[in-house]
Amino acid sequence: MKTEHNDSLLRFMTCGSVDDGKSTLIGRLLFDTKTILADTLTQISNTSKKRGMEAVDLSLLTDGLQAEREQGITIDVAYRYFSTGTRKYIIADAPGHEQYTRNMVTAASTANLAIILIDARKGVLTQTRRHSYLAHLVGIPHIVVAVNKMDLVDYDQNVYNKICADYLAFAKEIGLQRNSNNEAGHDIRFIPMSALNGDMLVDRLDNMPWYTGETLLEMLEKAPAAHTEQSEEFRFPVQFVCRPHASADADLHDFRGFMGRVESGDIAVGDAVTVLPNGYTSKVKAIQLGEAQLQSAQTEQSITLLLEDEIDTSRGDMIIKTGSKIEPVKQIEAFVCWLSETPLSPARTYIVRHTTRESKAKVGAISYKVDVNTLEQQATTDLKMNDIARMSFKLAQPLMVDSYSKNRATGAFIVIDESTNNTVGAGMIV
Amino acid sequence: MSIKKQPYHNPLSHLDWLEAEAIHILREVAGQCSNPVLLFSGGKDSLCILRLAEKAFRPGRFPFPLMHIDTGHNYQEVIDFRDQRAAELGERLIVRSVEDSMKRGTVVLKSPDEPRNKHQSVTLLEAIEEFGFDCCIGGARRDEEKARAKERIMSFRDEFGQWDPKNQRPELWNLYNARSHKGENIRAFPISNWTEMDVWQYIERENLGLPSIYFAHQRDVVMRSGAIVPINVPLASGEVINPPRAGEEIINMQVRFRTVGDITCTAPVISDADTVSKIVLETATTTITERGATRLDDQTSDASMEQRKKEGYF
Ligand SMILES: Nc1nc2c(ncn2[C@@H]2O[C@H](COP(=O)(O)OP(=O)(O)O)[C@@H](O)[C@H]2O)c(=O)[nH]1
């Protein structure tokens, strides 16, 4: 008999300043959902003993690489996995240091929910603002504000309420909060917890009877997966064209399959489509996934599209539904986070990679830089690592873009330095 | 207040999502790299990747050959399965062997019975140079080991095949950067986000065939420092390796392999799971990690994998 595996998947990230309890929280989630196996536990309990600790330090579970261990800090983004009976989770774990804005942006780029940790003793700090702003900038729709270390403030409801109020006041200020006339805002929820004791993560202990809301895991289990909340336009960047004409099978002689992933929206056999940037039109003849013939396909599926007409199409083209509005553009305006130790050089030519398409790009104007702590706009002529600026690029090739707030897939791009091939910038189109 | 609203779309199941992501990554490799290769060992992870490659590229041929770096110490069942699978698919299989590197003198063993696993990297680099590959697709997963948790999906290696944790490209959204200069190399990991459980569930769902040693079978073993060590294993050459040491008691046990690597450093686990469904169940209830249970060479230090990766190990 076959087992059924129909769980959905949620990607989320954790943000917190050093010592807010991020590693402990992740360790707890993994431990309480029984993801940690005995040998790993033995390993970390040995290490805990070696370091003179009484209890097993669950934060060691997420302790990464040698180099970092030597420096005693976490750098970069690490990915962890756990699953419950109903859902698989991918956690992007990024450190909270000010210097690591780029890591947070990286982690946020694939997350649909962010857990923002606050130390109950400290309340809303500059770091909290920074994390919230970045979650907002990178378009994470669901935010869980976790007020941690409640055990150190005697589980005092007033402390918790004050922190929630402070946070909401600030959230309004930066346009983070969702309200009736701000559909694009974020869904913000609060939870008091003690990650160390495992209170309100998976289990509900008796310390906070005044809190009747969901536990963290309940929130995670119910949070919508990406792309499920609103209707989106169909966007299909062509990754690869399959033309097995040399095949011995005569039936395949005229086969021309456009392979790619549905970045947003859905498509069905018979739909009228337009191929950009050239503007050719046709109809969907068939949709294939492996040997399976599909009648329709939805967001995030990797499929092969066959069209009624023979159209000359190659990697980098975009297939949309006829009538959908998207114009090829040769200039883009965006918020850009600089990722590289080598600062942006306005005189140089870069490569912009957007969906499956690349274009050479020249820096246009830099309007301003955002101070991620105060959210102030500052005039600037250069961009250094971890800076975020609003700026424009002039493009050699047209790109088919949407605004990032409408579509996280077709509104995003990366900037590549042609001489080193490094990824040096991350852009979100305004 | 509850987040749950009627979804506009039903989300993909986790296996459909992981499959779609892996297909997308394989197609990005094909679209961005000029001469990629798929590393194929006959093991369960690489068998999943072959299935994903079918879904990514059929009815066309794979836009890359398959390659196995053979230590010469592989289970015959796995080698046979490898050849059979490549033939069924009609794809080109390249085999390069550590023993040839030993003959060339580029691999020198410290002692004749030193495990050859870590020397695979030399042979791999030689093959990369021989064929001019700019990208190697592999089956590594981030859940395998702590040092892999930060591994990129497209991981950059310098001319010496070295992985520098400080010099990896940030990876955002699903915008992968697989560019490289001549001599450099990208390692692409399409199933980075899969766990051992996901792999078994996918094998079950897709009805994938596997080498027989993944299933429970009787085998002569000895217990050596807490691990189950298979002994007197015959090779294709007729040679028999892993003799018992003096004083060791040979036990005939029912075991299966959770991972199939080099004979000298892969241990089986006690199991009566003789079908994929039973293995899925066993995986759900196991208390030991895949690597902890089965690798005889990794136990010295939990940073040993990271060390080997820096040296060019896959
Ligand atoms: N009392 C108490 N201590 C906590 C709690 N969560 C974390 N800690 C402690 O705070 C310190 C920092 O936690 P850690 O998880 O390493 O923080 P990170 O730097 O955010 O990853 C450790 O000593 C933890 O044991 C909590 O809920 N209550």
Side-chain angles (χ1 to χ4, degrees), chain A residues 15-27 53 57-60 62 74 93 96 117 119 121 147-152 155 193-199 201:
Chain A
C15 346
S17 309
V18 179
D19 284 346
D20 281 352
K22 209 161 49 69
S23 317
T24 309
L25 178 140
I26 295 173
M53 286 176 267
D57 181 358
L58 286 176
S59 73
L60 289 174
T62 59
T74 356
D93 173 13
L117 271 159
D119 184 328
R121 298 169 302 173
V147 182
N148 189 33
K149 306 199 184 182
M150 285 300 293
D151 54 306
L152 298 182
Y155 301 103
M193 66 169 58
S194 167
L196 189 67
N197 300 336
D199 198 349
L201 283 86

Side-chain angles (χ1 to χ4, degrees), chain A residues 41-229:
Chain A
L41 207 58
T42 312
Q43 231 174 47
I44 65 162
S45 87
N46 288 343
T47 310
S48 305
K49 274 188 212 130
K50 246 187 267 167
R51 297 193 187 167
M53 286 176 267
E54 285 163 27
V56 175
D57 181 358
L58 286 176
S59 73
L60 289 174
L61 285 171
T62 59
D63 205 16
L65 304 173
Q66 230 169 30
E68 290 171 27
R69 255 171 277 167
E70 282 152 17
Q71 293 167 14
I73 49 162
T74 356
I75 47 173
D76 214 329
V77 183
Y79 296 89
R80 326 269 171 204
Y81 306 87
F82 70 96
S83 104
T84 57
T86 45
R87 212 168 211 192
K88 174 182 166 101
Y89 294 92
I90 303 179
I91 314 175
D93 173 13
H97 259 273
E98 185 157 12
Q99 304 88 290
Y100 299 131
T101 293
R102 64 168 190 159
N103 294 332
M104 227 205 101
V105 168
T106 302
S109 71
T110 53
N112 211 47
L113 180 147
I115 299 174
I116 296 182
L117 271 159
I118 296 181
D119 184 328
R121 298 169 302 173
K122 299 181 184 159
V124 176
L125 299 178
T126 306
Q127 292 90 306
T128 319
R129 293 162 172 267
R130 180 170 67 240
H131 298 149
S132 304
Y133 168 71
L134 291 175
H136 174 55
L137 179 78
V138 191
I140 301 180
H142 300 280
I143 291 177
V144 174
V145 180
V147 182
N148 189 33
K149 306 199 184 182
M150 285 300 293
D151 54 306
L152 298 182
V153 297
D154 295 329
Y155 301 103
D156 185 344
Q157 184 176 11
N158 294 324
V159 173
Y160 171 72
N161 285 347
K162 164 124 192 355
I163 292 173
C164 297
D166 287 353
Y167 188 90
L168 278 176
F170 143 79
K172 229 171 242 150
E173 217 178 285
I174 67 166
L176 192 67
Q177 199 193 4
R178 178 180 290 185
N179 57 35
S180 48
N181 45 25
N182 178 14
E183 285 277 329
H186 303 244
D187 163 49
I188 305 175
R189 327 181 90 223
F190 296 90
I191 182 169
M193 66 169 58
S194 167
L196 189 67
N197 300 336
D199 198 349
M200 292 300 168
L201 283 86
V202 176
D203 300 317
R204 185 189 296 270
L205 308 184
D206 307 325
N207 303 308
M208 294 178 277
W210 47 265
Y211 176 79
T212 53
E214 292 167 336
T215 61
L216 181 64
L217 189 65
E218 282 164 354
M219 288 183 187
L220 295 175
E221 292 276 278
K222 287 185 185 170
H227 298 284
T228 57
E229 292 181 273

